[in-house]
Amino acid sequence: MSAESTGASYASAGVDIEAGDRAVDLMKEWVKKATRPEVVGGLGGFAGLFDASVLKRYERPLLASATDGVGTKVDIARKMGVYDTIGHDLVGMVVDDLVVCGAEPLFMTDYICVGKVYPERVAAIVKGIAEGCVLAGCALVGGETAEHPGLLGADEFDVAGAGTGVVEADRLLGAERIRTGDAVIAMASSGLHSNGYSLVRHVLFDRAGMALDREVPEFGRTLGEELLEPTKIYSLDCLALTRTAEVHAFSHITGGGLANNLARVIPDGLHATVDRSTWTPGPVFDLVGTAGSVERLELEKTLNMGVGMIAVVPQEAVEVALTTLADRGVDAWVAGEILERGGHAEAVTLTGDYAS
């Protein structure tokens, strides 16, 4: 066999190890920024290390774990050629699930699956994840980039992440704390966040034939720019709220909409009523509804409709809670209350019409 005639190789199968190494080199500077004092070692090991002695300050520490992705929003990023924002979405989806129980996010790991490694693209994705971790107050301790030629097209990719947090057992938040008369405080979303994009893409692209570069006056920017608006990360705001006011529960409004997610923290025998007239959903929600003739109930079952996080607090804590959130730049308002279940079949009822 001649020197030119060689057998199969990883490279000939479509996996570029050198490109992967280059991607790691490019992402290192961003990962260094997403750290905490408890992180041990740096990027490049087989596992991320976190000094668990920090848990000694807890009487009974409960570890919380969550994992998620950003769904078909990655397709918008791919078509736009913008890769440094979906990392914010990934972090938000994970850490804000953790904080719902009152847990402080400690660290995250990520998984990026690509059809072909383009080092600058992978580094841009990690940059966004690292920036999101900084906003969430947690560390990015490691991750994995996997090249899957033959399964994904060269320009296709997906991202996922997992996070760990900690909460003191006697400060665990949830349904068991909620009482009749509690107030339901809504926190505004930054837009669609990372849920419902299969419906959004079907409506706006397949049915309405809109282009990503279409200027939309109501947005003050292009359709693509609006659809890539990063998910708001609430974790530090929620933790600040637990330090200044009594909080009984949080609910992260993601896939399934406000009613379905809030219902997950409403105990048997109680009922939450939420008044739509207390807020106006952003124009992107109206566009999806109008372009696809989507009924309001369907929109509300799929999209967050302008509310990304809910806090349930006792009435006497409302003023302090709203002040805390306002001081942190979070648009928040009283949207409803907790009542006896009575004859209500559902745990949550949306009433009234959205403010115009």
Side-chain angles (χ1 to χ4, degrees):
M1 182 178 294
S2 67
E4 290 78 16
S5 178
T6 61
S9 67
Y10 218 10
S12 67
V15 176
D16 189 339
I17 295 176
E18 288 75 18
D21 292 340
R22 170 64 175 157
V24 171
D25 288 338
L26 291 174
M27 69 178 71
K28 282 182 177 178
E29 66 171 298
W30 300 109
V31 176
K32 286 180 181 178
K33 297 179 181 180
T35 190
R36 289 174 54 120
E38 302 90 348
V39 175
V40 177
L43 189 66
F46 286 91
L49 298 175
F50 191 90
D51 186 353
S53 65
V54 67
L55 303 182
K56 290 180 179 179
R57 69 171 185 257
Y58 292 83
E59 291 293 325
R60 184 187 169 204
L62 300 180
L63 292 179
S65 177
T67 186
D68 212 335
V70 300
T72 58
K73 190 171 185 175
V74 297
D75 189 55
I76 307 297
R78 179 181 65 83
K79 290 177 177 176
M80 291 282 290
V82 176
Y83 305 102
D84 61 352
T85 61
I86 57 169
H88 289 232
D89 297 295
L90 179 63
V91 174
M93 290 297 99
V94 172
V95 300
D96 288 336
D97 276 355
L98 294 175
V99 82
V100 161
C101 68
E104 175 190 1
L106 298 176
F107 57 83
M108 274 191 66
T109 57
D110 64 64
Y111 176 76
I112 303 171
C113 180
V114 301
K116 178 178 174 59
V117 172
Y118 296 102
E120 289 76 15
R121 180 180 301 177
V122 172
I125 295 172
V126 174
K127 170 181 179 287
I129 297 172
E131 290 173 338
C133 285
V134 171
L135 292 175
C138 69
L140 180 61
V141 298
E144 171 72 8
T145 300
E147 194 170 22
H148 288 178
L151 294 181
L152 295 175
D155 287 332
E156 294 179 329
F157 66 96
D158 199 6
V159 296
T164 298
V166 62
V167 59
E168 188 69 75
D170 64 7
R171 296 184 64 82
L172 185 68
L173 303 180
E176 65 281 355
R177 290 183 179 263
I178 294 180
R179 300 290 182 267
T180 302
D182 283 353
V184 175
I185 293 178
M187 302 180 214
S189 70
S190 56
L192 294 169
H193 285 185
S194 300
N195 302 105
Y197 273 77
S198 293
L199 172 65
V200 171
R201 290 164 53 247
H202 172 66
V203 165
L204 299 184
F205 306 146
D206 298 339
R207 295 190 56 157
M210 295 183 180
L212 286 169
D213 60 359
R214 174 175 175 169
E215 292 286 342
V216 182
E218 294 86 351
F219 301 159
R221 54 183 173 179
T222 67
L223 175 62
E225 290 169 335
E226 176 68 24
L227 296 183
L228 275 189
E229 178 66 33
T231 299
K232 182 169 177 58
I233 298 173
Y234 300 93
S235 57
L236 291 183
D237 303 313
C238 290
L239 291 173
L241 188 56
T242 64
R243 292 191 293 268
T244 62
E246 182 180 350
V247 177
H248 288 166
F250 289 115
S251 177
H252 188 196
I253 311 306
T254 56
L258 192 157
N260 286 341
N261 282 285
L262 181 54
R264 295 165 67 179
V265 298
I266 303 301
D268 292 341
L270 295 185
H271 174 78
T273 178
V274 177
D275 185 358
R276 296 185 185 93
S277 70
T278 59
W279 81 95
T280 304
V284 68
F285 301 101
D286 182 62
L287 177 64
V288 173
T290 301
S293 299
V294 184
E295 295 182 359
R296 184 172 70 180
L297 180 60
E298 185 65 25
L299 285 175
E300 291 176 340
K301 285 170 29 180
T302 309
L303 307 178
N304 67 57
M305 300 305 290
V307 177
M309 182 71 76
I310 291 284
V312 180
V313 307
Q315 287 290 342
E316 59 269 23
V318 168
E319 184 175 349
V320 172
L322 291 178
T323 297
T324 297
L325 293 171
D327 288 345
R328 296 184 61 84
V330 179
D331 182 15
W333 63 94
V334 175
E337 61 180 328
I338 305 297
L339 307 170
E340 294 292 337
R341 177 68 65 95
H344 293 285
E346 305 295 333
V348 178
T349 299
L350 301 183
T351 65
D353 295 319
Y354 295 111
S356 57

